[in-house]
């Protein structure tokens, strides 16, 4: 009887759910006509391009961070961002070795194009390859989603709806200009396009012609992809002649709470404090005179780094410490043949985002700046945890741990 009642309840719920979704679909079509079309038209998009872009397009209810009309956004309990799992998984041997092996092939195949890009922008070829490999496997990874379905869905009902509406308009402009047919424009689940995985506004701002044919084709041209990545980094402030960073030993006398891009000092000063390269080699003299920043993405539970301003340019491409670290590390492996990190990643991560958010709010009530209670353990959260640990007589690890959930509530 209980099973029968459950079956009946589900059967009754499904039509209502379908009706609700159909209602939202109707609202979506109205939004396209009343909000998106007038703006697109004002930016030079033709009605023909607009209609082709949305022909057969429906909302994609499987995308993350959706906020359907009449609902409120929620902090997700489970999440797929790299910061929440073990960093070791992000740097899995297969992922790093694969990006390195194919990257070396691409370095030989595109040596001239990479050299030209570096001459024009100052961005090393190995860094361009690191990004290209991470974003699309050097163009080998399939990009499965319909860009207008993704951007339309997220522009209409997501936690960052205004941002994605801007991206939707930019995608329409790309189709209008003939860079890519509207019905053939594929994207990631977040709306990123082509081999460098540019958001549509980034395409309009930074896509470059690397093969001299007068077009910027980030979908089919490897030379254009290389030139576009280089231009993006250059215009975001890449400092020619400087590295991205160095793995280092951090003695216990140096607090992990000194991490962050707002606590930089000359690398020579870090050296005086006892920080040294794990390779045993000295820091290059020109780097010693420049600013460096302590980076401990797993706190005391993993490798530590002194990074340069160029590391934060890589983060402009993707706002993840682990992403920028992966790019720099793979680039170094491609060009210099270095091995893995000297230090190992500890068994950290695995907390729900909501757990981290509770800790952040507790730290905020104590007066700490955690960078917002968003459940993301960024450098402000990591060092705030370390400061709280030190203030309470604990050894500072500077990373959220399951055992803190009770103390930090």
């Amino acid at each position: 009887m209980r099973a029968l009642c459950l079956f009946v309840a589900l059967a009754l719920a499904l039509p209502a759910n379908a009706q609700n979704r159909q209602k939202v679909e109707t609202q979506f079509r109205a939004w396209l006509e009343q909000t998106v079309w007038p703006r697109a038209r004002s930016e030079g998009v033709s009605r023909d391009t607009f209609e082709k872009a949305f022909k057969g397009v429906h909302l994609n209810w499987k995308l993350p961070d959706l906020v359907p009309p009449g609902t409120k956004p929620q902090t997700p309990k489970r999440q797929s961002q790299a910061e929440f799992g073990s960093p070791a998984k992000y740097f899995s041997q297969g992922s790093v070795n694969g990006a390195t092996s194919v990257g070396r092939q691409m370095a030989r195949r595109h040596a001239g194009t990479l050299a030209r890009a570096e001459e024009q922008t100052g961005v090393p070829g190995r860094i361009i390859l690191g990004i290209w490999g991470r974003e699309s496997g050097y163009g080998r990874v399939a990009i499965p989603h319909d860009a207008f379905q993704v951007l339309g869905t997220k522009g209409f009902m997501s936690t960052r709806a205004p941002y994605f509406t801007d991206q939707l308009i930019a995608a329409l402009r790309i189709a209008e200009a003939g860079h890519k047919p509207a019905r053939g424009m594929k994207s990631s689940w977040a709306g990123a396009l082509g081999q460098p995985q540019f958001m549509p506004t980034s395409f309009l701002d930074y896509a470059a012609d690397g093969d001299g044919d007068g077009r910027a084709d980030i979908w089919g041209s490897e030379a254009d992809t290389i030139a576009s990545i280089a231009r993006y980094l250059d215009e975001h402030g890449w400092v020619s002649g400087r590295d991205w960073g160095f793995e280092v030993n951090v003695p216990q006398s140096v607090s992990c709470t000194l991490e962050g891009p707002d606590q930089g000092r000359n690398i020579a000063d870090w050296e005086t404090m006892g920080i040294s390269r794990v390779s045993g080699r000295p820091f290059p003299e020109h780097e010693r005179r420049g600013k460096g920043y302590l980076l401990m993405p797993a706190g005391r539970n993993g490798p530590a780094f002194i990074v340069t301003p160029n590391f934060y340019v890589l983060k402009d491409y993707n706002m993840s410490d682990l992403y920028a670290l992966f790019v720099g590390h793979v680039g170094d492996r491609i060009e210099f043949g270095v091995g893995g990190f000297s230090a190992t990643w500890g068994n950290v991560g695995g907390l729900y985002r909501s757990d981290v958010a509770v800790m952040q709010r507790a730290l905020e009530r104590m007066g700490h700046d955690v960078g917002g209670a968003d459940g993301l353990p960024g450098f402000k959260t990591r060092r705030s945890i370390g400061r709280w640990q030190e203030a309470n007589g604990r050894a500072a690890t500077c990373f959220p741990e399951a055992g803190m959930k009770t103390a930090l509530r």
Side-chain angles (χ1 to χ4, degrees):
M1 177 64 71
R2 182 176 180 181
L4 178 61
C5 291
L6 178 62
F7 174 80
V8 172
L10 289 173
L12 291 173
L14 287 174
N17 184 52
Q19 286 181 350
N20 289 338
R21 290 197 175 189
Q22 185 56 50
K23 179 180 178 180
V24 175
E25 288 280 358
T26 300
Q27 293 174 312
F28 171 58
R29 302 309 302 189
W31 175 76
L32 289 176
E33 287 295 335
Q34 297 168 14
T35 300
V36 177
W37 165 238
R39 183 172 164 191
R41 179 176 55 194
S42 72
E43 297 195 26
V45 176
S46 68
R47 184 68 191 187
D48 182 61
T49 295
F50 180 83
E51 291 183 353
K52 286 179 179 177
F54 295 106
K55 183 177 181 180
V57 169
H58 299 281
L59 293 170
N60 183 342
W61 294 87
K62 296 180 180 180
L63 294 175
D65 302 322
L66 299 185
V67 187
T71 66
K72 295 181 180 180
Q74 297 180 345
T75 300
K77 285 202 71 176
R78 298 188 180 273
Q79 55 285 313
S80 60
Q81 292 98 324
E83 285 80 2
F84 298 106
S86 168
K89 294 180 181 179
Y90 199 88
F91 291 91
S92 68
Q93 186 173 3
S95 178
V96 172
N97 288 349
T100 300
S101 175
V102 180
R104 287 172 181 160
Q105 298 174 28
M106 292 297 180
R108 292 190 293 270
R109 181 184 304 175
H110 298 290
T113 302
L114 289 163
R116 284 194 301 275
E118 183 167 357
E119 181 180 0
Q120 293 168 0
T121 65
V123 180
R126 73 182 192 277
I127 297 297
I128 298 169
L129 291 169
I131 287 180
W132 188 12
R134 186 64 198 176
E135 292 295 342
S136 67
Y138 306 98
R140 299 181 178 192
V141 174
I143 301 173
H145 296 283
D146 182 300
F148 289 100
Q149 182 187 57
V150 168
L151 295 171
T153 299
K154 294 179 82 69
F156 174 63
M157 56 173 194
S158 78
T159 54
R160 301 172 64 200
Y163 169 79
F164 284 105
T165 301
D166 289 345
Q167 299 302 326
L168 178 60
I169 299 298
L172 287 166
R173 290 175 57 194
I174 291 169
E176 180 66 29
H179 294 292
K180 193 73 173 175
R183 285 292 83 230
M185 197 180 298
K186 298 294 183 179
S187 78
S188 71
W189 64 264
L193 308 173
Q195 296 188 45
Q197 285 291 272
F198 276 178
M199 294 303 291
T201 53
S202 291
F203 175 91
L204 294 175
D205 290 338
Y206 307 113
D209 175 16
D211 56 19
D213 68 353
R215 301 172 59 241
D217 178 11
I218 64 171
W219 296 272
S221 170
E222 295 178 333
D224 290 3
T225 295
I226 290 168
S228 298
I229 293 171
R231 182 182 177 190
Y232 183 101
L233 296 177
D234 179 33
E235 296 200 19
H236 280 78
W238 185 271
V239 181
S240 180
R242 294 208 67 185
D243 210 322
W244 66 268
F246 309 89
E247 188 184 357
V248 296
N249 296 307
V250 180
Q252 290 296 324
S253 58
V254 177
S255 174
C256 54
T257 64
L258 295 177
E259 182 184 9
D262 54 351
Q263 298 191 101
R265 59 188 73 196
N266 288 345
I267 291 180
D269 294 333
W270 290 114
E271 198 174 32
T272 299
M273 295 170 66
I275 290 179
S276 61
R277 294 178 67 183
V278 297
S279 66
R281 296 191 296 272
F283 291 101
E285 189 58 36
H286 73 281
E287 296 283 10
R288 293 181 74 249
R289 297 190 299 268
K291 286 285 187 183
Y293 311 88
L294 181 61
L295 172 74
M296 302 181 75
R300 287 281 181 186
N301 305 298
F305 307 86
I306 292 294
V307 297
T308 77
N310 285 338
F311 179 84
Y312 296 101
V313 175
L314 295 178
K315 283 193 67 174
D316 282 337
Y317 207 101
N318 183 312
M319 286 301 295
S320 163
D321 288 333
L322 297 183
Y323 173 90
L325 193 55
F326 185 97
V327 166
H329 180 59
V330 166
D332 288 351
R333 290 173 69 114
I334 289 170
E335 183 163 337
F336 305 126
V338 300
F341 297 128
S342 176
T344 58
W345 299 101
N347 185 24
V348 296
L351 289 174
Y352 291 148
R353 181 168 172 176
S354 53
D355 291 333
V356 178
V358 168
M359 297 180 195
Q360 289 171 323
R361 285 191 286 270
L363 289 165
E364 284 181 330
R365 289 193 295 270
M366 299 176 193
H368 293 280
D369 176 11
V370 298
D374 56 5
L376 299 168
F379 74 91
K380 288 187 176 182
T381 294
R382 296 196 294 264
R383 72 188 185 194
S384 292
I385 287 173
R387 290 168 180 167
W388 168 78
Q389 290 171 316
E390 290 177 346
N392 287 273
R394 303 178 181 219
T397 61
C398 296
F399 203 79
E401 301 163 6
M404 299 175 186
K405 289 194 292 184
T406 301
L408 284 174
R409 296 190 66 84

